Amino acid sequence: MSLLIVGTVAFDAVETPHGKVGRMLGGAATYSAVAASYFAPVRLVSVVGEDFTHREHAVFRGRPIDTGGLERAPGRSFFWSGRYTADMNDRVTLDTQLNVLAEFDPKLPEHYRDSPFVFLSNLQPKVQHGVLRQMRRKPRLVALDTMNYWIEGALAELRAVLRRVHVLLINDAEARQLSGRHNLLDAAERIHAMGPRVVVIKRGEHGAILVRGRRVFSVPGMPLRRVFDPTGAGDSFAGGFLGVLAASARLDEVALRRAMIYGSVMGSFAVEKFGLERLRRLTRKEIRARARQFQELTRFEL
Ligand code: AMP
């Protein structure tokens, strides 16, 4: 089944202990669409500026990604820059330039409006909400991701759209910020009360947990020898997670757990090279092999 993804398509400048890249293709929707496209057909909604050329567009070509909803506007594309700490668990945002995103008011192509799976990836909550309002019928699953920038700058709009969301994917620091609770189970409980009945908390190299009422499922982080660039790991996780759910069209506990593994698989690949370099060149065999590695990581007997 198709997965509609709305979010940023961007240029990023990133500094990690392994090096510095002044300008490369990024954006939450770019990472999540590429990751999801290994599993399910994607319908992309975003906006780019005049600086986005056919060279950047190539990342979507040859994949089941419909770019009919990728608008081009006068001006520059969204730009973000960040620097990671030495252990790469934390980062600081150095600059966020909304550019064409500031005026973005997407109009969904007609055939997007009955998408059964919708991922409102990171961007203005009011735009996320605007996309939901254009759906012809209620999607089977609506998932949302957000970050500190919007929690700080657009909390009321975020809380409004959260009421219509089934799954919130969020990192640990942002789950704490949104809920005002430090303990992650308490944080998830608070977030359940805001709308999402499933909360997926991404914990960087420590893996991810899924909380659904009293049920908790935890996936470890894949121990990797080299982490080059954590940018986009969370979005790639979300793409894998939702791509797998959309492909199987199942939403039960078994499907959610499987989705957590494939989310972790895609996140772990994303960090192995700068930008989208690793993520865009994967094979099914590599994806499957890493999923097996995850299975082995915690296999034990009592
Ligand atoms: P992640 O590392 O998964 O949290 O996401 C990194 C990506 O998010 C980068 O490629 C950025 O272009 C994009 N990004 C950064 N800040 C924002 C923001 N405020 N809204 C939407 N996307 C953003």
Side-chain angles (χ1 to χ4, degrees):
M1 286 185 167
S2 290
L3 170 65
L4 185 157
I5 298 181
V6 60
T8 48
V9 171
F11 286 100
D12 292 341
V14 175
E15 266 178 72
T16 82
H18 295 286
K20 197 170 160 173
V21 177
R23 190 175 163 82
M24 64 183 177
L25 179 63
T30 317
Y31 282 103
S32 41
V34 171
S37 71
Y38 287 98
F39 307 100
V42 172
R43 294 167 173 170
L44 180 68
V45 182
S46 192
V47 63
V48 290
E50 290 151 330
D51 48 1
F52 188 88
T53 68
H54 68 279
R55 270 186 40 206
E56 283 79 31
H57 199 279
V59 73
F60 302 123
R61 277 198 287 273
R63 302 178 177 280
I65 300 180
D66 184 338
T67 54
L70 179 63
E71 271 176 46
R72 182 177 289 275
R76 295 171 74 78
S77 303
F78 176 79
F79 175 79
W80 173 81
S81 100
R83 183 191 297 135
Y84 289 85
T85 53
D87 67 1
M88 292 217 257
N89 275 331
D90 284 316
R91 73 173 173 212
V92 281
T93 289
L94 301 174
D95 196 6
T96 302
Q97 296 172 16
L98 296 181
N99 298 331
V100 291
L101 196 68
E103 303 296 323
F104 185 42
D105 183 13
K107 269 242 155 326
L108 294 194
E110 220 21 69
H111 66 285
Y112 277 35
R113 295 177 193 233
D114 58 0
S115 304
F117 286 75
V118 175
F119 178 37
L120 308 171
S121 87
N122 194 11
L123 92 171
Q124 286 101 323
K126 96 169 179 288
V127 178
Q128 294 175 317
H129 210 156
V131 165
L132 271 193
R133 287 201 184 95
Q134 292 177 57
M135 299 306 291
R136 214 170 6 237
R137 69 172 97 103
K138 223 167 148 217
R140 285 193 58 189
L141 185 88
V142 179
L144 181 143
D145 191 354
T146 192
M147 73 186 266
N148 51 358
Y149 188 86
W150 305 114
I151 299 173
E152 284 152 26
L155 185 60
E157 289 102 321
L158 177 61
R159 292 197 68 148
V161 63
L162 275 177
R163 282 188 217 113
R164 299 182 58 183
V165 165
H166 305 118
V167 181
L168 176 70
L169 298 120
I170 192 165
N171 78 26
D172 41 8
E174 287 148 4
R176 291 179 171 124
Q177 190 180 11
L178 178 64
S179 65
R181 291 297 177 94
H182 187 79
N183 178 283
L184 292 180
L185 295 180
D186 288 345
E189 193 176 47
R190 279 272 177 112
I191 294 169
H192 283 329
M194 296 176 194
R197 51 175 196 260
V198 176
V199 179
V200 175
I201 302 180
K202 299 169 284 182
R203 304 175 60 223
E205 66 170 341
H206 304 298
I209 59 171
L210 179 143
V211 188
R212 188 161 66 114
R214 298 204 166 275
R215 284 173 183 259
V216 179
F217 180 60
S218 177
V219 185
M222 172 64 58
L224 296 169
R225 281 193 191 279
R226 286 256 183 161
V227 174
F228 265 91
D229 173 15
T231 311
D235 310 312
S236 306
F237 179 103
F241 180 90
L242 292 159
V244 161
L245 289 180
S248 75
R250 278 175 47 186
L251 296 171
D252 54 279
E253 183 71 18
V254 172
L256 288 171
R257 289 181 175 220
R258 211 169 146 259
M260 286 289 285
I261 298 300
Y262 280 96
S264 308
V265 164
M266 302 314 274
S268 75
F269 279 126
V271 304
E272 287 183 340
K273 288 199 174 151
F274 268 96
L276 284 130
E277 278 321 298
R278 183 71 177 111
L279 197 65
R280 66 192 291 183
R281 292 183 215 291
L282 292 172
T283 63
R284 277 178 201 291
K285 216 170 142 192
E286 285 173 318
I287 292 172
R288 183 97 188 138
R290 185 147 302 175
R292 281 203 194 290
Q293 269 177 288
F294 267 99
Q295 212 171 30
E296 281 310 311
L297 264 185
T298 53
R299 189 197 296 282
F300 70 96
E301 280 164 37
L302 277 181

